[in-house]
Every structure is written in C-alpha cells, then in structure tokens.
Amino acid sequence: MDNRFATAFVIACVLSLISTIYMAASIGTDFWYEYRSPVQENASDSSKIILDDFLGDEADEKTYNDALFRYNGNLGLWRRCITIPQNTHWYTPPERTESFDVVTKCMSFTLNEQFMEKYVDPGNHNSGIDVLRTYLWRCQFLLPFVSLGLMCFGALIGLCACICRSLYPTIATGILHLLAGLCTLGSVSCYVAGIELLHQKLELPKTVSGEFGWSFCLACVSAPLQFMASALFIWAAHTNRKEYTLMKAYRVA
C-alpha cells in the first residue's frame, strides 16, 4: 500500500472516530436548544400549576414549552429540563441574599411522545394536525440514530478491509459516511426548521431569549467531519485500485 493512501486512510479513520464521538455526545445530551429567562424566586398559583404539569406524565407541547420559557429550560432529543430554585417560596420571600441554590428537573420524552402528532395550535387538539412539524420532529429524532448506525457499520467494513490488507472495500465505508453526513445534516436542518416553526406558533415572552446549545453545535460539526472522512475513504480506495490496475496491465505488457 502506497504511503499516500495509508496516510489518507489513517486521517479518515481519525475524522470518523471524532465525528462518531461528537454525534454520540450530541444525541445523549440535553442542550440542543436553551432558553434564558429571569430566575423565578417565588411563584404564583399559575406558576405552580405550570411546574406540576411539566413534571406530570401527560404534559402536552404547549404545557412543557411554557415551563421551558419560564424556568430557563433546555431541550434535547430525549429530554426536556428546567432550572428552578431549590427552596421555592409560595409566598412573598424573605430578603434576598446574594445567591441562592437552584436545581434542575428533567423529564424524558417517551416513544409515544416522540411520534405524537403536532397540532396547528400547540396544545389544542381540535385545531388539526400540523403535518410539517410532525414529520420534522420525527426526522430530527430518527436521523441522528441512522447516522450513528451507518458510521458504525462503515467502521466494521473498514476493519475488514484492514484485516484483508486491501483499501478497495473502503469505498463502501466512504459511501456509508457520505450517507451518514447527509442524515446528520438533515437532522440539524429539521431541528432548526422545527424550532423556528414552533416559535411562530408560541412566541417567546419579551424577557426570554433562546439560542442553540452546544449539543446542537456538536451535531453541526459532526456533519462536515463525516463528509471529509467519506471523501478521503473514497479517494484512497479508488486511486489505489486505479494504480494497481495500471501496474498490473504494465506487468502483463
């Protein structure tokens, strides 16, 4: 094997490993989107109801988003979390100290919630199904797992190529990484579109701001790494095969 192809293969493997780690971390963490709002030191009865509904098992889309807006929430693919004071006063609080403890409460999305229909008016089941937001949500949940699975399968083929001491099978690895990159890019695009459409339905309060978190950024970085690894795998395998064919023809001649 030519040193050029070996070097390209090693670099592609490193890029693939980094992108796999980034993608796995992105899927497993809860900071795809973060809301920033004033910390609620005390709460009214309505706020208590919102909090109780968020922690309940049957919270609808509007209910948990209202809680995310109010309590510095962050949203992942699997869970939704809010940050509340550890000792919440349901009355006028005593004189405020310089700092106070907060605690994070998280609720996981069930599989039923992941595939549940989204409504034109969030929380209103009589407003009709919003088909676009429904399928955007499902894609943003499924595509990262498809991407991770394709990379793992590609890594298995690459391992077989090393055992066989041949670069040609890595063309399949490169194609799988290309498909994985497209899935990751699709997931990121679906997530951005879904968030924008949600905020058109539920406008953020004036005191609340939102931004994409570091989990989302990891997914964004993972996609170009997958594309670069794919290009290197395909180039190394194709060029090595081409030179081998030419050398074989030269020897026959």
Side-chain angles (χ1 to χ4, degrees):
M1 183 187 300
D2 193 295
N3 287 337
R4 294 175 300 161
F5 306 135
T7 302
F9 182 78
V10 170
I11 294 174
C13 289
V14 171
L15 292 174
S16 175
L17 178 62
I18 294 173
S19 65
T20 303
I21 293 172
Y22 282 3
M23 200 65 217
S26 177
I27 293 172
T29 51
D30 309 318
F31 298 91
W32 279 66
Y33 201 85
E34 302 177 70
Y35 295 99
R36 293 288 177 264
S37 59
V39 177
Q40 303 287 327
E41 295 181 65
N42 62 333
S44 62
D45 290 339
S46 61
S47 298
K48 187 177 186 301
I49 292 173
I50 291 175
L51 182 58
D52 290 340
D53 287 343
F54 177 86
L55 298 175
D57 294 330
E58 298 181 356
D60 59 33
E61 186 180 23
K62 186 178 187 305
T63 299
Y64 70 71
N65 274 293
D66 285 343
L68 292 173
F69 296 163
R70 184 184 293 265
Y71 294 106
N72 287 291
N74 53 273
L75 193 64
L77 296 179
W78 279 96
R79 296 199 306 173
R80 54 187 186 268
C81 301
I82 56 175
T83 302
I84 59 175
Q86 188 170 8
N87 298 313
T88 305
H89 300 281
W90 302 107
Y91 54 87
T92 303
E95 184 178 354
R96 178 179 174 178
T97 57
E98 292 183 359
S99 62
F100 53 91
D101 295 330
V102 294
V103 62
T104 299
K105 299 286 187 180
C106 294
M107 290 294 294
S108 298
F109 290 107
T110 63
L111 282 178
N112 185 43
E113 289 175 322
Q114 295 284 12
F115 292 97
M116 187 178 294
E117 293 86 359
K118 305 296 179 184
Y119 297 99
V120 174
D121 182 13
N124 183 0
H125 294 193
N126 297 320
S127 61
I129 297 174
D130 191 329
V131 177
L132 178 59
R133 290 201 308 118
T134 297
Y135 282 97
L136 284 174
W137 181 278
R138 292 174 182 177
C139 288
Q140 77 183 27
F141 166 68
L142 290 174
L143 288 178
F145 292 98
V146 174
S147 174
L148 201 58
L150 288 171
M151 285 191 292
C152 291
F153 187 52
L156 182 62
I157 294 177
L159 180 62
C160 294
C162 290
I163 295 174
C164 297
R165 296 183 179 181
S166 172
L167 276 178
Y168 192 66
T170 56
I171 287 182
T173 301
I175 294 173
L176 289 174
H177 276 69
L178 177 61
L179 294 175
L182 292 174
C183 288
T184 302
L185 191 60
S187 176
V188 168
S189 302
C190 289
Y191 195 86
V192 172
I195 287 291
E196 292 299 323
L197 290 174
L198 174 64
H199 290 166
Q200 291 177 13
K201 307 287 185 180
L202 298 175
E203 293 186 6
L204 293 178
K206 293 181 180 180
T207 57
V208 178
S209 62
E211 60 183 11
F212 293 100
W214 58 267
S215 299
F216 175 84
C217 294
L218 287 179
C220 291
V221 173
S222 180
L225 292 178
Q226 291 165 341
F227 288 133
M228 287 189 287
S230 172
L232 287 172
F233 278 130
I234 294 174
W235 175 82
H238 178 71
T239 308
N240 182 65
R241 181 70 176 181
K242 185 177 180 181
E243 290 196 2
Y244 174 78
T245 303
L246 291 174
M247 186 179 296
K248 186 176 181 181
Y250 176 78
R251 288 178 178 176
V252 171

